[in-house]
Amino acid sequence: MVDDMKIGIVGAAGRMGQMCVRQVSEWQGCSVSGATEVSGHSALGHDAGEVSGIGNIGVPLTADSEKLVADADAVIDFTSPAVTVSHANLCMRAGTALIAGTTGLSDGDEVALLEASAKTVIVRAPNMSVGVTLLLALTERVAGMLDDEFDIEIVEMHHRHKVDAPSGTALGLGEAAAAGRSVRLSDVKKTIRDGHTGPRTSGEIGFASLRGGDVVGDHTVVFSGAGERIELTHKAASRVIFAAGAVRAALWSRGKPPGLYSMKAVLGFED
Ligand code: NAD
């Protein structure tokens, strides 16, 4: 019999952190081994299960990241870029897997994760849901099948609290579309249109971000040609899909060799 996987949750009083505490507690084959919050947070000392609304699970929230990582087989992190990079370094030293869901990472942050993945398993995805992972694969495929006669635009909408734009998922979809066309997103990306912009440049990949209310996350990739348009859309109705994907990634990471993996690898969508 294999032991339950011990999973630590960083930022356990946050929106995603609470959802992850609930999911890890519900799933078979894993349990919450620790939960942290930032120093000074009002939830410190309270039970992580109580904070997430499922009742006491015997795991008090602490600010001790090193212990969280040392006690866990895998750590799930939906926080902020600096916090995720620091946990990548802790996980590298301890050999603990890291499931990194934080968005808005800079190129330097991505390099830090890549370096840490030389010594441990890191699963990195700006969107951990099954549906968006499939949308990424479809976007790459469709972009590769249609030429520049079809303009690619990516529209996303999120709740009013979101701090980064375009969303990490939208940028991921842009990367997928660019890969399908064998170009670099940085060469064709258009994130701002304002004022007298002139006509659209052929081959560019445009982004538009809407913010409002409590929208969990809507993404549409538009392929717009002369006289016809194809739209691939995903709508998230609950954050549970991201937390479930993160738990799935944590369970999948067991026994895998060090490396930087995507959700495509976790779900077996890789070619
Ligand atoms: P949130 O602000 O509700 O939660 C973040 C939590 O991290 C807060 O409770 C904060 O106090 C805590 N935190 C900050 N510093 C910490 C530290 N040093 N140690 C421990 N905890 C610390 O934010 P959220 O809505 O849960 O989103 C978090 C991140 O996850 C964002 O980048 C968001 O875009 C991303 N996200 C990714 C996915 C995905 O599928 N990959 C899905 C949803 C959200």
Side-chain angles (χ1 to χ4, degrees):
M1 217 193 55
V2 190
D3 288 344
D4 265 10
M5 195 155 176
K6 290 177 280 172
I7 300 182
I9 313 291
V10 189
R15 283 178 288 258
M16 282 307 302
Q18 290 186 39
M19 196 59 93
C20 289
V21 168
R22 293 203 282 273
Q23 285 293 298
V24 172
S25 303
E26 278 175 20
W27 281 49
Q28 300 284 321
C30 56
S31 59
V32 180
S33 55
T36 57
E37 255 303 338
V38 65
S39 295
H41 196 287
S42 59
L44 287 174
H46 293 266
D47 185 84
E50 301 273 8
V51 170
S52 74
I54 54 169
N56 197 297
I57 58 169
V59 178
L61 273 158
T62 77
D64 191 343
S65 309
E66 289 198 24
K67 183 163 170 21
L68 179 91
V69 169
D71 289 350
D73 300 311
V75 161
I76 298 178
D77 182 324
F78 288 90
T79 56
S80 65
V83 176
T84 299
V85 168
S86 97
H87 281 83
N89 290 325
L90 290 174
C91 284
M92 175 180 70
R93 288 201 282 278
T96 302
L98 176 69
I99 314 304
T102 303
T103 63
L105 270 64
S106 67
D107 290 349
D109 296 334
E110 297 282 1
V111 169
L113 258 57
L114 183 63
E115 284 172 2
S117 74
K119 294 272 170 55
T120 195
V121 174
I122 298 187
V123 179
R124 158 102 195 89
N127 191 308
M128 300 248 165
S129 80
V130 173
V132 164
T133 307
L134 180 62
L135 181 64
L136 286 162
L138 291 174
T139 298
E140 181 170 347
R141 187 103 191 265
V142 175
M145 294 167 90
L146 300 172
D147 61 18
D148 275 4
E149 289 300 306
F150 282 81
D151 299 323
I152 302 178
E153 296 281 311
I154 298 168
V155 186
E156 55 106 341
M157 179 157 187
H158 283 84
H159 54 90
R160 61 168 70 106
H161 302 292
K162 186 157 180 66
V163 295
D164 51 321
S167 71
T169 302
L171 291 169
L173 289 165
E175 295 281 0
R181 287 206 164 154
S182 304
V183 295
R184 280 157 41 128
L185 180 62
S186 53
D187 293 338
V188 295
K189 181 164 92 170
K190 186 80 180 174
T191 49
I192 298 171
R193 291 193 184 104
D194 187 25
H196 187 79
T197 59
R200 189 181 196 282
T201 307
S202 174
E204 74 185 12
I205 296 178
F207 292 84
S209 297
L210 285 67
R211 294 287 175 268
D214 57 359
V215 177
V216 175
D218 294 353
H219 292 88
T220 296
V221 185
V222 182
F223 298 87
S224 191
E228 58 182 339
R229 193 161 81 236
I230 299 155
E231 297 185 353
L232 302 177
T233 295
H234 177 270
K235 294 189 179 186
S238 159
R239 283 189 178 80
V240 73
I241 59 173
F242 311 125
V247 179
R248 201 157 158 168
L251 293 171
W252 173 90
S253 73
R254 189 173 235 174
K256 293 286 180 304
L260 186 60
Y261 299 93
S262 67
M263 279 306 283
K264 269 195 198 166
V266 172
L267 297 172
F269 290 168
E270 225 123 60
D271 291 336

